[in-house]
Amino acid sequence: MKVLVIGGGAREHALCRSLSLDPDVTALYCAPGNAGIAEVAELHPVDALDGDAVARLAADLGAELVVVGPEAPLVAGVADAVRAVGIPCFGPSGEAAQLEGSKAFAKDVMAGAGVPTARSYVCTTPAEIDAALDAFGAPYVVKDDGLAAGKGVVVTDDVETARAHALGCDRVVIEEFLDGPEVSLFAITDGTTVLPLQPAQDFKRALDGDEGPNTGGMGAYSPLPWADPKLVDEVLRSVLQPTVDELRRRGTPFSGLLYAGLAITSRGVRVIEFNARFGDPETQVVLARLKTPLAGVLLGSANGTLDELPPLKWRDDAAVTVVVASCNYPATPRTGDPIEGLDDVAAQDAPDAYVLHAGTRRDGDTIVSAGGRVLSVTATGKDLAAARERAYTAVARIRLDGSQFRTDIAEKAAEA
């Protein structure tokens, strides 16, 4: 099978790494990719938001499966354009991707499906914003209705900060704060069958102890030793399957990756948000534990044949990923700094630890930073403590001027 992956972040590097290890994959392409992905896939330039350009590239390469990684191309309808030329595509239609593209749409779908979530108001005027903030009180949860690359949510005790964020959005969802730990659960679906993956937990705040501003994610781990063993079955029954069934009932079938961000509250599981693609950095740890070859599962989603596949197989190992971010992330990240030590990790830590590239590019013979989140250092081990130790040993070998990372990823879970 010839596979083309669209995107250029650590999520796409994780996907490409897994696909490169799949014996059924005979050729692997990525567009536009990054410096790390170039080691496992052939890179091609493309405007990832231009569906026609992506479809032409897929046809020119003879791709038999296209995997769309990021949310913006999905919401822009890139998967529709690929399918229109007869090539199987992993990823929802532009219409179905509104489940991530519009928080208000997602809330409406959840209401129709009877999915438990936070109470919320959709606001478009200052008066509506003030009324909603007053109704819920602190902590305030304010979400930009549209895509915001992981930075559209503010959770704060300060009403003026919440109001300023809300006023900066064209349309905003203000909702009640959900207590309890958060869990990310991915599911691969073909619009009917829903195949849940293993749960993970990510760390949204920039600094240790969950301090600092929200980011796109500073690390993740899997499995969750503290979670109820029945959690996946419960979420499949109460959240994932009803959502897929509701979208199909509406004539907007959802195929691809359905990501449920969950809060395990004192009142039970509640949905914080849906995403329409693999999450970053949780993908890095979930795929590190997946034993089943990936390409066939993604093709089953694209072709509507997931019900014919055997159950997924998982490694017993735990996985931890630590994000190395650039100076001044998430505000105005500095780019163009040389990255050293990548060869040292490859020579001394592989295969138990490895580096997935997020925001990198090649400048001559040097790999330099090219984004806010630069690298995802990922490791596996017999338990979370072993995986953590390997991940942070590898992080210590990397040199990037002004870089930052959290030192407490999976720390509490490893001690549990």
Side-chain angles (χ1 to χ4, degrees), residues 96-383:
Q98 286 301 311
L99 199 64
E100 177 170 4
S102 168
K103 304 290 189 299
F105 176 79
K107 288 288 188 183
D108 188 58
V109 170
M110 283 187 269
V115 168
T117 186
R119 292 180 298 121
S120 64
Y121 295 104
V122 179
C123 307
T124 57
T125 69
E128 290 174 345
I129 289 167
D130 289 341
L133 293 172
D134 186 55
F136 287 129
Y140 303 99
V141 181
V142 184
K143 300 180 177 182
D144 190 335
D145 183 50
L147 292 180
K151 302 180 188 69
V153 180
V154 165
V155 182
T156 179
D157 287 324
D158 182 60
V159 69
E160 291 306 320
T161 301
R163 189 171 191 272
H165 182 68
L167 290 171
C169 306
D170 289 334
R171 189 159 80 147
V172 68
V173 175
I174 296 174
E175 63 183 38
E176 68 175 326
F177 178 77
L178 296 174
D179 65 333
E182 294 185 13
V183 173
S184 299
L185 185 60
F186 302 161
I188 293 173
T189 178
D190 56 11
T192 302
T193 300
V194 181
L195 210 58
L197 305 186
Q198 289 291 301
Q201 187 174 59
D202 77 331
F203 294 75
K204 284 281 189 281
R205 299 285 186 172
L207 307 176
D208 284 6
D210 288 329
E211 298 290 333
N214 261 359
T215 72
M218 295 299 291
Y221 69 93
S222 179
L224 312 182
W226 49 268
D228 187 327
K230 298 176 182 175
L231 176 66
V232 173
D233 289 341
E234 180 190 344
V235 175
L236 175 62
R237 176 186 56 76
S238 66
V239 173
L240 299 170
Q241 191 71 58
T243 300
V244 169
D245 291 346
E246 173 68 12
L247 284 163
R248 188 177 66 252
R249 186 188 69 76
R250 292 176 176 224
T252 315
F254 187 106
S255 71
L257 195 290
L258 178 58
Y259 165 131
L262 309 165
I264 312 301
T265 77
S266 54
R267 304 185 310 282
V269 173
R270 297 289 185 272
V271 175
I272 300 170
E273 65 176 354
F274 283 125
N275 290 338
R277 38 73 194 180
F278 278 103
D280 181 348
E282 302 98 317
T283 300
Q284 289 85 304
V285 292
V286 172
L287 291 186
R289 299 187 57 226
L290 180 62
K291 206 171 183 178
T292 300
L294 184 60
V297 183
L298 302 186
L299 185 64
S301 166
N303 285 341
T305 56
L306 280 183
D307 62 332
E308 300 172 12
L309 298 182
L312 296 178
K313 294 181 179 178
W314 297 92
R315 296 183 177 89
D316 292 330
D317 283 359
V320 171
T321 193
V322 179
V323 170
V324 177
S326 58
C327 180
N328 206 35
Y329 175 78
T332 52
R334 194 173 81 203
T335 60
D337 290 313
I339 304 167
E340 300 176 338
L342 297 173
D343 291 340
D344 296 339
V345 175
Q348 299 183 57
D349 301 305
D352 297 319
Y354 49 88
V355 180
L356 298 169
H357 292 228
T360 69
R361 62 178 176 83
R362 186 169 285 280
D363 185 4
D365 293 332
T366 305
I367 293 176
V368 301
S369 60
R373 292 186 296 172
V374 182
L375 305 168
S376 286
V377 181
T378 304
T380 55
K382 63 180 175 57
D383 54 28

